[in-house]
Amino acid sequence: MIRLHDTASGQVRELEMRDPGKVSIYHCGPTPYDVPHVGHGRNTLFYDVLHRYLEWRGLDVTLVSNVTDIEDKIIRRSIAEGRSCADVVAEFEAIHWSAMDRLGVLRPDHVPKATQYVEKMVAFIDELIGRGHAYETSDGVYFEVRTLPGYGLLARQPLDSLRAGARVEIDEDKREWFDFALWKKAKPGEPTWESPWGPGRPGWHIECTVMSLDLLGDGFDLHTAGDDLTFPHHENERAQAVGAGHAFSRHWTHHAMVEVEGQKMSKSLRNFTALTDLLDHTDARAYRLLTLRAHYKSPFDVSPDTLADAESGLDRLDAFARRFADVPAIPDPATVEKFRGFMDDDLKTPQAVAVIFDAVNAAHKGDERAAATVFELTGAVGLDLKRAPQAVDAETQRQVAEMDDARQARDFARADAIRADLVSRGWVVESGPSGTVVHR
RNA sequence: GGCGGCGUGGCCGAGUGGCUUAGGCAAGGGACUGCAAAUCCCUGUACAGCGGUUCGAUUCCGCUCGCCGCCUCCA
């Protein structure tokens, strides 16, 4: 049994599967209008760890994560830079996937795009109007929130306690400030599609409703994303689905944000680090380890200090992997069970990581099954340890040989000089009774 | 104003009504090594503050202080 936090009930509860043994997951993906930042990295690592772990558990996972390829910020950028929206999307989506590849994030099974679903969205909006949940105005079609009993499930507070923020757009045509756009009628310079309400484009929330139901079917198992999307985005997705007569996601799991000096990392606060920059300076696996060391519901700080901390931990794992690369043993069932107990219980990755490090310690003390266990468990969460010896260039190999010769000859001054040179060029030099090994 | 979360040892970060009270990083001491590296051994006695419940609270309750998130685009 897998237990996960469920935002709708506010509790950790069993992940019930519509079809036993199969898990259908929809995860809100990126809007490629700019480079991804470190928080997006956490976001994809969250679904990747979930995805990999569930499959490791023997479950058949279908993961859908969309790309929003038509949206205000994309349009703004395309106009500012005098190029098409498709061009903007192509550039930043490519950067997104390349960063995810570097992070070792597995591709979702389906990556639907909003622009491929416009026709289905139009039909869905039409259905909502027909059922009395939506109305047309001079500038679009809106969902009438008051018509849907139960709105506020994910916000976990009644509709009338929500406060109209100072920056909510005033729109005289809308019946209530919290009604939200299903369809936006065309403005000059924007890409448009035909609809019964004239040319225009879909609102943001409708795509996820339509694509998730289309690819995963009614009553799919799990909907995930960062917790900043809980309200209003997910609330609205759900309202649309329910309003049109569909059973929507049965379980909602949201992860916390990455922070910088205690504040949420975000584009608008301008306190973000581009994910690509982080990956240029930090081992991607260290970032994965950093995310695993905090529970997914807890925010954590990304800073040079916390990253360096994680890299040191990773070094210990890699040192372990080099030493035990060829261990023939099979994993220890009791340790695997302990790990599974933590992971099954709401993905308690900090405890799971502790189990891994305990096994590393046991291995160094001679427990071969513990060594095999480490490889098994790091694999389950997508941490790829460096078992294979690293390629060493010819010149470095020559130096290593020369150094060992000098040590043989007890010419330690010369050996130390060579070592110093290797170290200064970034090599970690390990000399043992059987000779010297270098790695980076 | 509403809703929610958090405050743990030098740092990150789990957890628990009392039991030998995670794990990582860093630090100090020791072992091993020609020296290093890797590894091993040892050391730290923490739970914001004030009350309350209790035989006993870091863990439960209340209050205070501080911090953060959502209610607006946002992973």
Side-chain angles (χ1 to χ4, degrees), chain A residues 41-350:
Chain A
R42 180 185 196 182
N43 178 252
T44 51
L45 284 168
F46 167 73
Y47 80 61
D48 189 61
V49 168
L50 177 67
H51 184 188
R52 288 174 183 269
Y53 179 69
L54 293 177
E55 295 207 322
W56 181 81
R57 280 288 264 109
L59 295 161
D60 180 6
V61 178
T62 302
L63 175 65
V64 178
S65 183
N66 65 306
V67 170
T68 299
D69 60 348
I70 180 67
E71 194 266 347
D72 290 0
K73 290 190 286 289
I74 296 170
I75 294 170
R76 212 175 301 148
R77 185 159 196 149
S78 87
I79 292 171
E81 299 183 356
R83 53 183 177 146
S84 71
C85 286
D87 202 47
V88 171
V89 168
E91 177 185 347
F92 294 109
E93 192 188 347
I95 293 172
H96 176 264
W97 291 119
S98 127
M100 296 319 146
D101 287 347
R102 292 168 76 185
L103 275 176
V105 170
L106 297 174
R107 290 295 166 96
D109 297 289
H110 302 278
V111 183
K113 292 188 176 179
T115 55
Q116 299 164 339
Y117 271 83
V118 175
E119 232 175 86
K120 282 179 173 162
M121 288 191 246
V122 166
F124 203 97
I125 294 167
D126 210 35
E127 173 76 19
L128 285 171
I129 293 174
R131 285 172 175 256
H133 288 301
Y135 57 90
E136 185 177 357
T137 71
S138 60
D139 70 341
V141 178
Y142 289 85
F143 189 95
E144 186 167 16
V145 168
R146 284 222 188 271
T147 64
L148 194 90
Y151 189 88
L153 177 79
L154 294 168
R156 292 183 65 73
Q157 60 180 313
L159 188 52
D160 290 308
S161 71
L162 298 175
R163 178 204 237 177
R167 281 187 284 167
V168 171
E169 275 180 46
I170 305 298
D171 183 336
E172 298 302 328
D173 277 353
K174 270 163 65 166
R175 295 180 188 168
E176 297 269 16
W177 67 269
F178 43 65
D179 289 352
F180 57 90
L182 297 166
W183 186 260
K184 298 181 175 187
K185 293 185 179 176
K187 292 183 186 140
E190 295 183 354
T192 60
W193 288 261
E194 285 308 315
S195 83
W197 321 285
R201 61 188 171 94
W204 176 36
H205 312 297
I206 192 71
E207 65 175 275
C208 290
T209 302
V210 171
M211 297 191 294
S212 61
L213 290 172
D214 186 65
L215 290 163
L216 296 171
D218 283 19
F220 62 90
D221 298 319
L222 174 65
H223 195 128
T224 61
D227 64 15
D228 54 345
L229 294 192
T230 304
F231 191 93
H233 185 236
H234 286 167
E235 189 76 53
N236 294 348
E237 275 186 46
R238 180 182 169 278
Q240 291 162 339
V242 173
H246 295 274
F248 205 48
S249 178
R250 302 137 62 91
H251 208 290
W252 296 84
T253 300
H254 295 96
H255 70 262
M257 301 289 101
V258 164
E259 300 189 340
V260 177
E261 290 169 359
Q263 284 210 309
K264 174 182 166 182
M265 178 181 287
S266 73
K267 288 273 162 80
S268 46
L269 285 172
R270 306 181 59 83
N271 63 350
F272 65 92
T273 302
L275 183 55
T276 43
D277 286 347
L278 179 143
L279 292 172
D280 286 343
H281 301 294
T282 310
D283 191 315
R285 300 170 305 148
Y287 188 50
R288 181 180 288 258
L289 182 59
L290 184 63
T291 68
L292 290 169
R293 290 195 326 190
H295 184 72
Y296 73 86
K297 292 291 289 177
S298 302
F300 64 81
D301 248 78
V302 175
S303 69
D305 283 353
T306 58
L307 286 169
D309 187 310
E311 284 193 299
S312 298
L314 181 67
D315 284 345
R316 181 170 169 80
L317 292 176
D318 277 340
F320 157 87
R322 284 193 300 277
R323 178 172 170 188
F324 294 97
D326 303 316
V327 66
I330 58 162
D332 169 42
T335 306
V336 172
E337 193 51 47
K338 196 173 171 189
F339 170 87
R340 217 167 80 158
F342 286 129
M343 291 295 285
D344 282 1
D345 184 17
D346 199 27
L347 294 181
K348 290 188 169 169
T349 55

Side-chain angles (χ1 to χ4, degrees), chain A residues 362-384:
Chain A
H364 278 308
K365 288 173 200 167
D367 182 345
E368 288 207 338
R369 287 210 302 183
T373 307
V374 173
F375 289 117
E376 177 69 20
L377 301 185
T378 50
V381 291
L383 264 183
D384 188 20

